[in-house]
Amino acid sequence: MTDLTYADLGWSGFFAEQADAETARPMRISAVHRDMMEAIAPDGSHRLTTPGSTADFVPGDWVLSENGIVTQLLDRQTLLKRRSAGNDTAAQLIAANVQTLGIVTSCNADFNVARLERYLVLAAEAGCLPLIVLTKSDETDEADRYLAEAERLSPLVSAIAINATDPEEVKRLYPWCGSGETLALVGSSGVGKTTLRNTLTGQTAATQDIRTDDAKGR
């Protein structure tokens, strides 16, 4: 990633109002490990440590750092989390400061109303705007039917049907990932999340082949 600005990374006035330390640098957490974290800033990637536990952080967090050490965790706008498996009542943190949750499914056997409803609950609990992204619209004559069914799930949801491999069609997502905004993509394997990410960011993360019997990724 080069030539990025703080706004490109999701920085907004909400966070700027909290960043009153003159010598600390704002950075956005991209990955959390047991003993360190990875973060991004306009000049590239960084490795950060914290005096406390990294368990207090989640991808998407904004922090202030000095000399590679986190000095402040900024307040979050939104927080995606889900219940842990088993009898553990603690919530599993997923991502922070996501304005729009892109719920990706496809116009084939992957389309599942119950799963979409679970993602809509996740978005509502986090305070995110829900956006259902229907991929593989070029592979069916029933894209309008899938789109209508998705829109009926909630009056708050927006839904679009696109061909994830067509850069021009993917541009329809731009209104949800503009300056100071963050769009996160969720969905089952094989629906085109990585393809969308690659097209939106210009990166080349590997995609998965699709099994023809159940439309899932390998």
Side-chain angles (χ1 to χ4, degrees):
M1 290 180 290
T2 58
D3 300 324
L4 294 177
T5 66
Y6 273 110
D8 291 332
L9 298 176
W11 184 258
S12 66
F14 175 86
F15 305 108
E17 291 176 356
Q18 305 175 55
D20 55 1
E22 294 183 359
T23 58
R25 293 190 59 200
M27 295 188 185
R28 194 165 195 188
I29 301 300
S30 57
V32 178
H33 306 288
R34 179 171 297 180
D35 57 351
M36 54 80 64
M37 295 177 290
E38 298 173 42
I40 50 177
D43 62 345
S45 300
H46 298 263
R47 293 168 63 92
L48 300 178
T49 59
T50 174
S53 170
T54 61
D56 297 329
F57 300 85
V58 66
D61 273 333
W62 277 100
V63 300
L64 300 183
S65 71
E66 292 188 62
N67 301 316
I69 301 174
V70 173
T71 59
Q72 183 180 349
L73 169 63
L74 302 185
D75 291 342
R76 297 158 173 155
Q77 284 185 306
T78 64
L79 180 60
L80 287 162
K81 56 186 177 180
R82 61 188 174 197
R83 294 178 183 175
S84 298
N87 297 323
D88 190 350
T89 59
Q92 177 185 359
L93 303 185
I94 303 172
N97 301 314
V98 172
Q99 282 73 44
T100 303
L101 186 65
I103 304 167
V104 187
T105 186
S106 49
C107 298
N108 56 25
D110 180 80
F111 189 92
N112 183 289
V113 169
R115 185 192 303 124
L116 292 176
E117 288 175 336
R118 289 194 293 272
Y119 279 127
L120 289 174
V121 170
L122 181 70
E125 291 178 344
C128 303
L129 294 173
L131 170 67
I132 296 179
V133 183
L134 293 162
T135 59
K136 307 184 191 300
S137 63
D138 56 311
E139 299 177 11
T140 179
D141 295 328
E142 298 186 301
D144 289 342
R145 178 179 67 82
Y146 286 108
L147 189 61
E149 193 166 351
E151 291 173 335
R152 283 197 297 267
L153 293 177
S154 169
L156 301 177
V157 73
S158 298
I160 60 173
I162 62 175
N163 173 4
T165 64
D166 186 336
E168 289 302 313
E169 290 208 11
V170 173
K171 286 181 180 179
R172 295 172 60 195
L173 292 174
Y174 283 6
W176 290 280
C177 51
S179 179
E181 298 289 320
T182 298
L183 167 69
L185 302 176
V186 296
S188 55
S189 174
V191 296
K193 300 187 302 297
T194 304
T195 301
L196 288 171
R197 173 198 165 190
N198 289 348
T199 305
L200 285 169
T201 66
Q203 295 178 321
T204 55
T207 58
Q208 296 178 319
D209 294 331
I210 305 301
R211 300 189 297 247
T212 57
D213 55 345
D214 62 1
K216 300 294 185 183
R218 299 185 196 277

